[in-house]
Amino acid sequence: MAPRRLLRAVPCFVRGAGLAMCMGLASPAAAEEITGARFEGPTTRYGHAILGDGVEFTELVIETEDWSNRLRYRVTLPQDHVFEDLAPRLWDITGDGVPEVVVIETDMARGGSLAVYDQTGKIAETPHIGRTNRWLAPIGAADLDGDGRIEVAFIDRPHLAKVLRVFEWDGEALVLDMELGGLTNHRIGEDFITGGVRVCEGIPELVTADADWSDVMVTWAVEGALQTASLGPFSPAAVEAALACR
């Protein structure tokens, strides 16, 4: 993981009222909760265009609140990195009941990684795939195996390798926990990612497509290993029904 980059605070953000100056800026603390995030700084410096255009992002803005303040923090990537992503995700990765910010951060020479930020900076990152123009597509985060720790899942190279990888938060970092081939959740040029996490009868499961997009697939963990099964022929409506446990 790259060294943590400290984020700088910028004037507080009041939802529905534009920008406002804070009377005072509090330092990040346990009571300060992330409430929103967005990308800024569009760039065309990386020409992969996997999401349908050549525009990626160079900045991440994180919005937080505590009992007295609403703050914003901004991280600006170095010239050889971009956020190769649609929008930041607010997922609880550390298991403390409050969200972190999860993004696809790409090293232009080493490909995509899944990075986790909070108001202190980058707190975790999966290894970069290894070469330029290689990407991953996030699925979701949940305690998939019931061990009390959060796992985060993505498809590694959804157009090539089509491997589901599950990383677990071990208290300090994301470590590879489980993986399974033959699944995908994105097609080149689409500006969305298919599927996600569902919880049916209290059990978290991952919804994707199979490798050739013929079936909707559901995947779950049993005794530290991933199991998968078809829910029937693939269609957008079938994916929607699967996510709704129908």
Side-chain angles (χ1 to χ4, degrees):
M1 183 180 77
R4 178 175 294 187
R5 290 190 291 276
L6 295 180
L7 308 191
R8 58 185 176 89
V10 294
C12 71
F13 180 74
V14 180
R15 284 175 289 187
L19 292 177
M21 293 300 295
C22 291
M23 294 301 293
L25 293 180
S27 61
E32 189 180 336
E33 183 173 334
I34 294 170
T35 58
R38 66 181 182 274
F39 293 130
E40 292 186 352
T43 182
T44 57
R45 68 190 185 201
Y46 183 56
H48 193 197
I50 203 68
L51 292 165
D53 60 30
V55 179
E56 313 303 344
F57 300 94
T58 62
E59 297 181 340
L60 172 65
V61 177
I62 298 174
E63 301 164 5
T64 72
E65 291 183 5
D66 64 16
W67 67 274
S68 62
N69 290 318
R70 296 178 181 180
L71 308 178
R72 293 192 303 158
Y73 299 88
R74 183 183 303 272
V75 60
T76 300
L77 293 179
Q79 285 294 316
D80 59 353
H81 281 227
V82 295
F83 294 115
E84 193 179 8
D85 206 347
L86 297 163
R89 300 153 193 82
L90 300 190
W91 292 348
D92 179 11
I93 299 298
T94 61
D96 61 358
V98 296
E100 286 74 42
V101 180
V102 179
V103 295
I104 306 168
E105 184 173 334
T106 294
D107 180 311
M108 293 163 62
R110 297 187 297 143
S113 70
L114 198 71
V116 182
Y117 284 86
D118 66 13
Q119 60 269 40
T120 70
K122 186 188 293 185
I123 65 168
E125 184 177 42
T126 65
H128 290 273
I129 291 171
R131 56 170 291 184
T132 191
N133 291 351
R134 295 295 181 264
W135 188 71
L136 58 85
I139 302 171
D143 180 6
L144 295 173
D145 55 11
D147 66 354
R149 294 181 174 179
I150 300 295
E151 286 84 30
V152 59
F154 62 82
I155 301 293
D156 179 353
R157 291 160 290 173
H159 325 109
L160 296 170
K162 303 182 181 182
V163 174
L164 167 62
R165 299 199 193 279
V166 175
F167 282 75
E168 183 177 78
W169 174 256
D170 70 354
E172 297 182 352
L174 290 172
V175 296
L176 183 62
D177 191 28
M178 297 174 282
E179 55 187 349
L180 182 68
L183 301 170
T184 190
N185 61 346
H186 184 263
R187 288 181 277 208
I188 293 173
E190 290 181 340
D191 62 354
F192 59 91
I193 293 170
T194 295
V197 174
R198 73 177 191 177
V199 180
C200 303
E201 299 181 357
I203 300 173
E205 299 171 320
L206 309 175
V207 176
T208 65
D210 65 348
D212 64 2
W213 292 90
S214 63
D215 283 57
V216 177
M217 305 296 292
V218 61
T219 303
W220 65 97
V222 177
E223 297 181 352
L226 294 171
Q227 305 291 324
T228 194
S230 172
L231 294 176
F234 177 85
S235 71
V239 173
E240 182 179 353
L243 290 170
C245 300
R246 299 197 302 269

Coordinates of all heavy atoms in Angstrom, one line a residue, residues 12-21 70:
C12 N -16.4 23.9 5.4 CA -17.5 22.9 5.7 C -18.6 23.0 4.6 O -18.8 24.0 4.0 CB -18.1 23.1 7.1 SG -19.1 24.6 7.2
F13 N -19.2 21.9 4.4 CA -20.3 21.7 3.4 C -21.6 21.6 4.1 O -21.8 20.7 4.9 CB -20.0 20.5 2.5 CG -21.0 20.3 1.5 CD1 -21.0 21.1 0.3 CD2 -21.9 19.3 1.6 CE1 -22.0 20.9 -0.6 CE2 -22.9 19.1 0.6 CZ -22.9 19.9 -0.5
V14 N -22.5 22.5 3.8 CA -23.9 22.4 4.4 C -24.8 21.9 3.3 O -25.0 22.6 2.3 CB -24.3 23.7 4.9 CG1 -25.7 23.6 5.5 CG2 -23.3 24.2 6.0
R15 N -25.4 20.7 3.4 CA -26.2 20.1 2.4 C -27.4 21.0 2.1 O -28.1 21.5 3.0 CB -26.6 18.7 2.8 CG -25.5 17.7 2.6 CD -25.9 16.4 3.2 NE -26.1 16.4 4.6 CZ -26.3 15.3 5.4 NH1 -26.4 14.2 4.8 NH2 -26.4 15.4 6.7
G16 N -27.6 21.3 0.8 CA -28.8 22.1 0.4 C -28.5 23.6 0.5 O -29.4 24.4 0.2
A17 N -27.3 24.0 0.9 CA -27.0 25.4 1.1 C -25.7 25.8 0.5 O -25.2 26.9 0.7 CB -27.0 25.8 2.6
G18 N -25.1 25.0 -0.4 CA -23.9 25.3 -1.0 C -22.7 25.3 0.0 O -22.7 24.6 0.9
L19 N -21.7 26.2 -0.2 CA -20.6 26.2 0.6 C -20.8 27.3 1.7 O -21.3 28.3 1.5 CB -19.3 26.6 -0.2 CG -18.8 25.6 -1.2 CD1 -17.7 26.1 -2.0 CD2 -18.5 24.3 -0.5
A20 N -20.3 26.9 2.9 CA -20.3 27.9 4.0 C -19.0 27.7 4.8 O -18.4 26.7 4.9 CB -21.5 27.5 5.0
M21 N -18.6 28.8 5.4 CA -17.4 28.8 6.2 C -17.7 28.3 7.6 O -18.6 28.7 8.2 CB -16.7 30.2 6.3 CG -16.2 30.7 5.0 SD -14.9 29.7 4.3 CE -13.7 29.9 5.5
R70 N -19.5 20.4 10.1 CA -19.5 19.6 8.9 C -18.3 20.0 8.1 O -18.0 21.2 7.8 CB -20.8 20.0 8.1 CG -22.1 19.5 8.8 CD -23.3 19.9 8.0 NE -24.5 19.5 8.7 CZ -25.7 19.7 8.3 NH1 -25.9 20.4 7.1 NH2 -26.8 19.4 9.0

